Amino acid sequence: MREIKTVTVLGANGTMGAGSAAIVAAFGKAKVHMLARDVNKAKEGIEKAISSIKTDTIRPRLIPGSYDQDLEKAVSESDWVFELVAESYEVKEPINKRIAKARKPGTIVSTVSSGLSIARLADAFDEDGKKHYYGTHFFNPPYKMILCELVTHAGNDKKVTKKLGEYLDKTLGRAVVYTNDTPAFAGNRIGFQLINEAAIKAEEYSDKGGIALIDAIMSGYTGRAMAPLDTADFVGLDVHKAIVDNLYEMTKDAAHSTFKLPGYFQKLIDRGDLGRKSGQGLYKMTKTPDGKKEKLYYDVKGDLYIPVPKFDIPFIKDANRRIGEADYIGAMNIVKEAKGLEADIARYFIARYVSYSLSLVGEVVDTKEMTDLAMGTGFNWAPASAFVDFLGGPKEAISLITKAKLPVPEVLAKAKAGKPFYQLKDVLDARSLFKG
């Protein structure tokens, strides 16, 4: 792999494209061809890139251009071509054919795809092109979310993979997770499994608070900077649908049924209520008559928005107090021993998260550290392995999973007692992700 001095970014006007270009220009010191449908769009991308890292110093390295006029020339002089166009084969494959004709041997080509087959996308290239073709799944916004899933396929060269991983890590400051070419890779597969199952449970318990109740139960004490259904609203219900529909079609694991999109999500999508970007979705912000902001949630049964209630759930208060004292094992002991529906739901989802995250070891990633890194740096969720320790160790975690009638992952079943299960190095301390 050559030294990366010149990069072409395709889709440079989008939030992800502009943000990624900024990272490459700022940390990689590379010249970046910013390509979009037309030059004016590319120029908009340059302004977004500069805004994303809040410095104008990268401007001289950002060169605007269009697909029609500049793609072949830009690609021919690039050491890395980073494609971030629309998430579909119909859009990506024709672009890849053009890149394949223009690239010089040894040029890295990668896609930011969050779930399409990397092997299929690599088919547009010759043997050298396949060897140098990867998924580089940055998370949004790239400046704040440092995860990059480096997705490999059978045609890759391990030496190139190693060098590319080192570049992404040491030069661009990414937390690199090496994943196999599987649906949604690691982070989204784990994250959207839990989010979609939370959405299913919200409908099941719609008469008890529904969406608001599930998010209250799955709040900060469960190791999440943002509750799951609030996350879906933030990401966009249309994006959520695209990810879980793909997973429902392409996976057949023990969690398969939990990837089926709830009907009320489709109803909201059909109305254009996609979440924060459209003004309302699962939640809606409004003002009371006296001018105060008020958060409403979508009542599934009533098909209307109503105020988010202030839930009084004692065990959550007690768990948050223990977390405030840095007693994470004590907090989980409270959750394990609590009575009532809310506690049952909390235990189930903690068990599900640990079970599903660790079940991907072997299929999607080679080690549990990779799924831990994906969730810690891509979602700001406390890694599953940390939960094993917080629950008291492998034996206690297995007990919780078994009671929830969920599969016990092989890597957990084989874990040795008395030894910390969470051993991730050089990543955010899982405990710092707990917000009371």
Side-chain angles (χ1 to χ4, degrees), residues 139 144-148 174-177 370-381 383 424 426-428 433:
F139 276 58
K144 294 181 179 179
M145 306 302 287
I146 64 172
L147 174 62
C148 172
R174 303 297 90 189
V176 181
V177 168
M370 290 293 98
T371 56
D372 288 343
L373 185 58
M375 301 318 295
T377 60
F379 278 75
N380 277 344
W381 288 6
L424 193 59
D426 301 322
V427 72
L428 295 173
L433 299 177

Side-chain angles (χ1 to χ4, degrees), residues 44-282:
E44 290 175 11
I46 289 175
E47 298 308 316
K48 288 180 183 177
I50 292 166
S51 176
S52 74
I53 59 172
K54 298 179 174 59
T55 175
D56 200 48
T57 58
I58 64 172
R59 187 182 293 276
R61 293 194 283 274
L62 304 178
I63 305 165
S66 70
Y67 302 143
D68 289 343
Q69 299 296 320
D70 304 292
L71 187 147
E72 279 73 18
K73 183 178 184 301
V75 168
S76 70
E77 64 175 64
S78 291
D79 306 301
W80 177 20
V81 179
F82 192 8
E83 171 270 298
L84 302 100
V85 299
E87 181 78 345
S88 76
Y89 293 116
E90 290 73 19
V91 177
K92 291 182 185 291
E93 288 178 333
I95 287 278
N96 275 354
K97 288 180 181 178
R98 292 179 64 187
I99 295 170
K101 291 179 181 179
R103 72 176 285 277
K104 57 190 176 186
T107 295
I108 296 290
V109 182
S110 69
T111 178
V112 80
S113 171
S114 60
L116 299 180
S117 167
I118 302 305
R120 173 173 167 176
L121 292 171
D123 278 342
F125 298 86
D126 60 17
E127 185 177 349
D128 181 79
K130 287 182 172 69
K131 182 190 298 185
H132 291 85
Y133 190 85
Y134 293 87
T136 47
H137 182 211
F138 283 31
F139 276 58
N140 203 18
Y143 188 67
K144 294 181 179 179
M145 306 302 287
I146 64 172
L147 174 62
C148 172
E149 292 181 312
L150 180 54
V151 189
T152 59
H153 62 95
N156 288 131
D157 183 309
K158 290 184 179 179
K159 291 180 180 178
V160 177
T161 302
K162 184 175 184 293
K163 289 181 180 179
L164 179 57
E166 289 174 350
Y167 169 78
L168 292 165
D169 176 8
K170 300 184 185 304
T171 302
L172 299 191
R174 303 297 90 189
V176 181
V177 168
Y178 296 84
T179 82
N180 298 322
D181 187 14
T182 53
F185 317 131
N188 280 349
R189 185 155 167 183
I190 297 166
F192 283 87
Q193 184 287 316
L194 188 138
I195 292 169
N196 202 64
E197 190 167 15
I200 293 168
K201 290 287 186 184
E203 184 169 22
E204 182 179 345
Y205 295 110
S206 58
D207 59 337
K208 298 182 183 298
I211 290 165
L213 173 69
I214 297 300
D215 268 0
I217 293 170
M218 296 298 292
S219 58
Y221 75 100
T222 66
R224 290 172 175 81
M226 184 184 291
L229 297 176
D230 208 7
T231 301
D233 228 38
F234 176 78
V235 169
L237 303 192
D238 53 338
V239 175
H240 175 94
K241 170 183 167 61
I243 293 171
V244 298
D245 281 357
N246 179 52
L247 284 163
Y248 188 69
E249 179 185 356
M250 302 301 295
T251 63
K252 300 296 178 186
D253 60 24
H256 178 252
S257 64
T258 67
F259 289 117
K260 187 172 178 60
L261 187 76
Y264 71 94
F265 264 53
Q266 189 63 59
K267 181 190 290 186
L268 290 168
I269 291 167
D270 291 344
R271 292 203 299 234
D273 296 336
L274 305 178
R276 294 190 191 183
K277 62 186 175 184
S278 66
Q280 64 186 41
L282 301 180

Side-chain angles (χ1 to χ4, degrees), residues 336 347 350-351 391 395-404:
K336 286 190 292 184
R347 285 189 289 268
I350 291 170
L391 289 167
K395 184 178 178 181
E396 290 292 331
I398 289 171
S399 175
L400 190 73
I401 291 168
T402 302
K403 288 177 182 176

Side-chain angles (χ1 to χ4, degrees), residues 295-310:
K295 190 174 186 178
L296 310 179
Y297 76 96
Y298 178 69
D299 175 28
V300 178
K301 281 190 175 178
D303 190 25
L304 76 169
Y305 291 92
I306 59 178
V308 172
K310 293 182 179 179

Side-chain angles (χ1 to χ4, degrees), residues 388-389 392-396 398 411-421:
V388 172
D389 290 339
K395 184 178 178 181
E396 290 292 331
I398 289 171
V411 68
L412 183 59
K414 291 182 176 180
K416 295 179 180 179
K419 182 180 179 181
F421 192 76

